[in-house]
Amino acid sequence: MIKQFVLDYLLPGLVSTGLCSFLLFVLFARLTYDYLATHYHDLLSSRPTNGLHDSDANGAFMADVWQVGRNGEWRRIDSPFWRGFFWLTMTTGGLMLVSLTGLIAIFMFPHWWR
């Protein structure tokens, strides 16, 4: 019973949720990063993120946006729309992490559901 549930519903749900939330997080993080770079450039790190030299080409803008969310500096954003959009971006990234953690748990501990 549990094996059928995991294979038929949980596994495809986690894969599709992880993929869709990753793609949405990339899009939302890029839009948020561009807004922050234009209006709040002091929130973003001036040095290359994670040792990458071109943060735009390598996707390090996602790490910059995540860092702004973790240190709480996003509260300085004045626009209610962009504050909500930033919250949506962080929620999408969190959903991605939760679904990927579920996938890891399914494959690391198969004796739970077999």
Side-chain angles (χ1 to χ4, degrees):
M1 173 103 168
I2 190 82
K3 182 178 181 179
Q4 288 301 109
F5 174 75
V6 168
L7 292 177
D8 291 344
Y9 299 107
L10 190 61
L11 190 62
L14 288 174
V15 169
S16 61
T17 302
L19 181 63
C20 290
S21 59
F22 170 72
L23 295 174
L24 283 175
F25 179 68
V26 169
L27 175 68
F28 292 167
R30 184 69 222 187
L31 293 172
T32 304
Y33 180 82
D34 288 341
Y35 177 76
L36 292 177
T38 303
H39 300 287
Y40 298 95
H41 58 85
D42 58 331
L43 292 181
L44 303 173
S45 64
S46 59
R47 61 180 171 73
T49 307
N50 297 333
L52 301 174
H53 297 292
D54 188 10
S55 63
D56 290 342
N58 293 323
F61 59 89
M62 293 180 280
D64 280 343
V65 170
W66 196 258
Q67 183 62 33
V68 169
R70 288 187 65 212
N71 64 18
E73 290 292 322
W74 62 274
R75 293 182 186 100
R76 288 181 36 201
I77 300 173
D78 293 329
S79 172
F81 172 77
W82 284 104
R83 272 184 155 209
F85 194 76
F86 187 84
W87 182 82
L88 179 66
T89 303
M90 298 307 288
T91 303
T92 306
L95 182 63
M96 175 189 63
L97 290 176
V98 167
S99 64
L100 293 178
T101 303
L103 280 172
I104 290 170
I106 284 176
F107 287 110
M108 290 292 289
F109 306 107
H111 60 277
W112 288 350
W113 56 272
R114 284 192 177 171

